[in-house]
Amino acid sequence: MKIFAYGIRDDEKPSMEKWEKANPDVEVGYTDQLLTQETAKLADGANGVVTLQTTPYERGALEALKEQGIQSISIRNVGVDNFNFKDLNDLGFKLTNVPVYSPNAIAEHTILLMGRLLRRVPEVDTKFDNGDFTWAPTIGKEYREQTVGVIGTGHIGRVVIKILQGFGAKVIAYDVYHNPDIEKQGLYVDSLEDIYKQSDVITLHVPLFDSNKHMINEKAIEQMNDGVFIVNCARGELIDSEALIKGLDDKKIAGAGLDVLDNENRVFGKKWGSIDNLPSSDIKNLAERKNVIITPHNAFYTETAVHNMIKISFDSNKALIEGKTPDTLIDTNK
Ligand code: NAD
Ligand code: COI
């Protein structure tokens, strides 16, 4: 049996080599390139592929894999929003993800972004860089004084809630599905409108679908409290950047912590030298603000997460090739 992996980084190699040693019946091939129609031929001779990318998986790439007899794909991450399920179904592909590699990685990053906003850390850092060791005007806010609205109480949202409760914040939550533990604590409100109206800080932890693209738009922002903070470690397309910029200009929004951005592939994953060189006006606009903190979709990026992403994706791909049904299998008919 052979598995071919795409987009392999140096930091993933020790875990991949460990997996190979533990699975001597599987030959592993890999490349640092992403899966495209052109690179699909690198997997020739393999029975399945393991991949990770934030760019769309093109139908042409899937067709090229199928021509080589490959119909098993295992991604090393959670979100499956860059696949077209119709393409997968038309071509008879089976897809697995890694639904739980380390929710704590993303949750901790979320809390750090929130804390940096509340304590105005970018402004304090700039003052420090200028040799200004005074206090004013960067007076901060405490977590325990905040009502934090958590949208999405899945694996990540629930860890976010637990950490927030440790800090003494008041948490309210919204999800289309009610988790029994969060329900028991009485944290759910009935609607997104309730979250918008009651929260000092709003944090997003839902998957991206066609139906919730730009859910944080001008209308949603209008309903929010003046001086709200917004944190997004889920998917960039959940927030309409133009509406966010308007909200920041109007001072309706006091700040934003963004690990993901609308159409982020324009800028993430590349070295620009300076934010002055960013090619996208909306991202540059956001990046230049002291009350906006941007991180390059690295909320997931911890040693524990990377190790689990490799192990679970390779285990899943092997299981698919053996004709088994791993519990990481995605229902592409949904
Ligand atoms: P999850 O599937 O465990 O939880 C998602 C929750 O969202 C579920 O409880 C679901 O019922 C709820 N939901 C779905 N649609 C909804 C809607 N329209 N309104 C309200 N609730 C809705 O997923 P997770 O592991 O918590 O991850 C959440 C998202 O975080 C992923 O889909 C992915 O996009 C993103 N993510 C980002 C990073 C990163 O590095 N920034 C890493 C991993 C995951
Ligand atoms: C995910 O796991 O869905 C992420 O957003 C992480 C990223 C490496 C794609």
Side-chain angles (χ1 to χ4, degrees):
M1 176 193 305
K2 181 171 177 186
I3 295 176
F4 191 83
Y6 284 91
I8 290 291
R9 307 178 309 271
D10 285 348
D11 57 78
E12 295 181 300
K13 287 179 186 167
S15 299
M16 195 171 65
E17 282 156 16
K18 199 169 168 194
W19 189 89
E20 243 184 306
K21 271 205 188 112
N23 293 270
D25 51 329
V26 184
E27 188 190 337
V28 174
Y30 67 88
T31 174
D32 60 356
Q33 297 185 66
L34 301 183
L35 173 59
T36 63
Q37 190 165 354
E38 289 70 42
T39 62
K41 58 179 172 296
L42 297 174
D44 195 27
N47 308 90
V49 298
V50 165
T51 94
L52 171 61
Q53 62 193 51
T54 55
T55 49
Y57 289 96
E58 308 156 358
R59 187 178 173 104
L62 302 179
E63 283 169 346
L65 286 179
K66 189 178 175 183
E67 271 168 33
Q68 294 161 195
I70 301 170
Q71 284 173 298
S72 299
I73 301 185
S74 298
I75 58 169
R76 305 199 284 285
N77 62 303
V78 178
V80 290
D81 46 279
N82 50 350
F83 277 97
N84 181 330
F85 283 7
K86 185 175 176 309
D87 290 344
L88 290 170
N89 293 338
D90 287 351
L91 299 166
F93 271 84
K94 289 209 159 129
L95 175 70
T96 61
N97 72 342
V98 184
V100 191
Y101 51 77
S102 180
N104 292 60
I106 300 97
E108 287 175 15
H109 193 84
T110 303
I111 299 297
L112 286 169
L113 285 178
M114 227 178 259
R116 287 175 69 194
L117 289 169
L118 292 172
R119 300 305 292 261
R120 302 173 64 172
V121 172
E123 288 169 83
V124 173
D125 284 350
T126 304
K127 282 176 66 191
F128 178 85
D129 290 345
N130 292 326
D132 178 348
F133 285 30
T134 63
W135 293 339
T138 47
I139 192 162
K141 292 179 189 290
E142 297 179 25
Y143 272 104
R144 64 186 170 137
E145 305 297 341
Q146 310 305 309
T147 297
V148 183
V150 178
I151 303 180
T153 56
H155 293 101
I156 298 169
R158 292 205 300 282
V159 181
V160 167
I161 291 175
K162 209 167 165 188
I163 303 176
L164 284 170
Q165 289 173 327
F167 277 119
K170 179 180 178 206
V171 176
I172 56 173
Y174 177 79
D175 197 306
V176 287
Y177 162 81
H178 280 198
N179 173 272
D181 180 45
I182 305 299
E183 179 87 66
K184 213 179 339 167
Q185 296 184 58
L187 302 186
Y188 285 116
V189 292
D190 294 334
S191 66
L192 282 171
E193 205 179 325
D194 290 332
I195 291 280
Y196 300 152
K197 287 196 168 138
Q198 295 175 39
S199 304
D200 302 305
V201 183
I202 293 173
T203 181
L204 301 174
H205 301 288
V206 291
L208 173 69
F209 305 110
D210 289 342
S211 55
N212 64 4
K213 183 176 174 187
H214 289 179
M215 61 182 278
I216 304 298
N217 52 24
E218 231 180 297
K219 188 167 165 241
I221 292 169
E222 262 168 31
Q223 296 172 62
M224 294 177 192
N225 278 327
D226 290 347
V228 67
F229 290 98
I230 300 178
V231 176
N232 186 8
C233 286
R235 281 293 178 268
E237 283 71 17
L238 294 170
I239 301 184
D240 175 355
S241 298
E242 269 184 39
L244 178 66
I245 288 170
K246 183 174 180 300
L248 287 159
D249 282 344
D250 296 346
K251 303 211 170 1
K252 176 81 180 171
I253 300 172
L258 309 169
D259 184 53
V260 287
L261 294 169
D262 205 354
N263 211 348
E264 69 192 28
N265 290 313
R266 290 173 293 174
V267 296
F268 284 177
K270 302 177 187 89
K271 293 183 182 180
W272 296 99
S274 151
I275 55 170
D276 296 339
N277 301 331
L278 290 175
S280 139
S281 60
D282 55 337
I283 296 181
K284 197 164 164 212
N285 179 310
L286 290 167
E288 281 167 346
R289 293 170 191 260
K290 279 280 164 252
N291 57 348
V292 174
I293 303 170
I294 295 177
T295 52
H297 202 148
N298 68 341
F300 81 101
Y301 195 47
T302 66
E303 293 169 358
T304 305
V306 168
H307 177 75
N308 291 339
M309 290 161 103
I310 288 283
K311 183 181 179 328
I312 299 167
S313 60
F314 274 81
D315 281 347
S316 300
N317 204 247
K318 184 179 178 187
L320 283 181
I321 296 166
E322 289 172 339
K324 297 179 185 155
T325 306
D327 52 13
T328 51
L329 185 69
I330 298 291
D331 180 357
T332 52
N333 292 309
K334 266 193 185 164

